[in-house]
Amino acid sequence: MLQSNPTRKGTGIELWGDYGDLTSLYETIHKIGERLNEYKKEEKGQSDIIMGFAYEVRKTFQHSRLKENFVFDSENKVEYLGFRYLWTTYFI
């Protein structure tokens, strides 16, 4: 399950999930992005924003961003991966 928190100073958002959550999100973003033509002037900005977001998600599930282990008890441990992103980009 994807989880989000505001960043410490409130300028952005932290998005957290496990490997499966993030790979699924990445595939969904690319399905949306495939409909945009990055070579058309009207769609280039949208394509750049959504592909920038996809890049951050990919780097996260490749373990290049934030990591946190949650231990619920001796048998239940989960590694969550996350990244920080600016609010303004989410709204666009």
Side-chain angles (χ1 to χ4, degrees):
M1 175 170 58
L2 293 171
Q3 298 179 21
S4 63
N5 303 313
T7 57
R8 193 168 50 175
K9 294 188 178 183
T11 59
I13 188 169
E14 288 183 355
L15 188 66
W16 293 89
D18 63 18
Y19 180 84
D21 297 331
L22 294 168
T23 55
S24 177
L25 178 60
Y26 180 76
E27 291 170 8
T28 302
I29 292 168
H30 268 279
K31 286 180 184 177
I32 294 167
E34 286 174 358
R35 298 177 181 183
L36 297 171
N37 183 349
E38 65 181 302
Y39 300 107
K40 287 177 94 174
K41 183 180 176 182
E42 301 82 21
E43 296 179 6
K44 180 165 179 23
Q46 295 170 358
S47 177
D48 289 349
I49 289 170
I50 199 163
M51 288 303 128
F53 184 64
Y55 173 82
E56 288 299 321
V57 173
R58 179 174 55 87
K59 285 300 198 179
T60 302
F61 72 73
Q62 291 176 338
H63 299 266
S64 297
R65 298 292 187 261
L66 306 172
K67 297 175 199 163
E68 192 166 331
N69 290 313
F70 292 94
V71 179
F72 301 102
D73 55 37
S74 61
E75 296 177 15
N76 295 307
K77 301 174 197 173
V78 178
E79 180 182 51
Y80 271 81
L81 308 167
F83 66 98
R84 293 182 184 104
Y85 215 64
L86 293 175
W87 284 111
T88 54
T89 308
Y90 272 114
F91 290 133
I92 292 173

